[in-house]
Amino acid sequence: MDLKKLVNKGIDGLSPYEPGKPIEDLERELGIKNAVKLASNENPLGPSPKIIDSIEMILKETHRYPDGNATRLKAKIANKFNVLEDQVTIGNGSNDIIEFVARSFLGPGDSAIYSEHAFAVYPLVVQAVGAKGIEVPAKNFSHDLNAMLDSIEESTKLIFIANPNNPTGSFIEYSELIDFLEKVPEDVLVLLDQAYFEYSSYETKDIDFDVLQRFSNLVISRSFSKAYGLAGYRVGFAVSSKEMADYLNRVRQPFNANSLALYAAEIALGDEKFIQKCLELNHEQKKILFTELGSLGYECLPSRGNFISFDCKEDSKDAFNKLLLEGVIVRSLTVYKMPNFLRVSVGLPEENQIFLEKIESALSK
Ligand SMILES: *Cc1c(COP(=O)(O)O)cnc(C)c1O
């Protein structure tokens, strides 16, 4: 049997998403206990302590299926963000949402637009459903919105915008993004990926769900993995028109978000004090990292997220490996076609200090 003949065309050409190196792997390999992982834009303060204090009670109920409609979490989201429950779709991470959108609206013969250096999952999902990906060259490591508009073809059904973008950290200012949305034809959808919204809106005005009333072709995704500190639970959500949410929910697995994830997300949404503390820490530590990397002679890209990408002035895979040997995990951006760039997530003060020390001692200038 020749599986290659049977496999869906789009899947055959895929390379799987490369995750950050797990901390246990490195500790085992080096025989150390104190590795520092600043590779996946996780919240260094962990999940809200309120979750840890109370989740045991959910553990006792895990022989039951989760609430397949995520009724309580949707109600909390609707209430907090002033949207209707019917506008909300819950995902197994916001990655799930990205897939729902691709699977609901794209197929062979369709095309979708994304920026060069944008989040790696967009080309993967587009290819997986057999659609054509149109990658638009970036401008200064940021989305070139005019070029993206100019790239719309007859077959184009969807445009991906990551704001802030990962891995570059670039941010499209409010008025510029509204201006873009006004220019996108009504029959082309826009998926605005706001995985870092909490960070960007802490520092500047960012688009919120109220704009959905103006743009029925817009769907906004957010994540609990970054600022909310729930990356391991896998939960994210989309807010869109009710009609769009109805379609997204048709391709959603019946129990895509597990009981623990649903519970953790509910508690996290309510712990305003904790999230503020996380955002303050990120803001303050990011400033220190910018300053210190700058004084070590590294050029950093501006970032509205919880990470910094910088030109490490050598092959970033080599730089990545040198730092690994020192017990520090960062991310090489070679797969993003930025072969001299490393991305470092903003960690705890002590983690950032270790990173800075190791980068000074281990990398050639
Ligand atoms: C991390 C990230 C996501 C996905 O996060 P989930 O853990 O699946 O919620 C989506 N988009 C961008 C730009 C990201 O950086």
Side-chain angles (χ1 to χ4, degrees), residues 10-11 99 102-103 106-108 124-131:
I11 308 282
E99 277 199 45
R103 283 166 52 212
L106 298 178
L124 291 184
V125 296
V126 170
Q127 198 180 330
V129 296

Side-chain angles (χ1 to χ4, degrees), residues 24-42:
E24 298 96 313
D25 284 14
L26 182 66
E27 291 184 342
R28 196 178 341 102
E29 286 164 22
L30 295 183
I32 59 170
K33 283 259 176 300
N34 51 357
V36 171
K37 183 186 178 208
L38 299 172
S40 302
N41 304 344
E42 294 145 344

Side-chain angles (χ1 to χ4, degrees), residues 41 92-96 98 119 122 162 164 166 193 195-196 223-226 234-236:
N41 304 344
N92 187 281
S94 60
N95 202 102
D96 213 17
I98 298 170
F119 189 46
Y122 311 150
N166 170 25
D193 179 345
Y196 301 93
S223 177
F224 283 97
S225 300
K226 308 286 161 59
R234 311 304 304 131
V235 52

Side-chain angles (χ1 to χ4, degrees), residues 1 49 117 138 146 148 172 213 293 304 314-315 327 331:
M1 184 193 46
H117 313 309
N146 287 327
M148 292 179 86
I172 307 158
Q213 285 165 3
L293 282 168
R304 289 271 165 77
E314 62 179 296
D315 184 300
R331 200 66 159 258

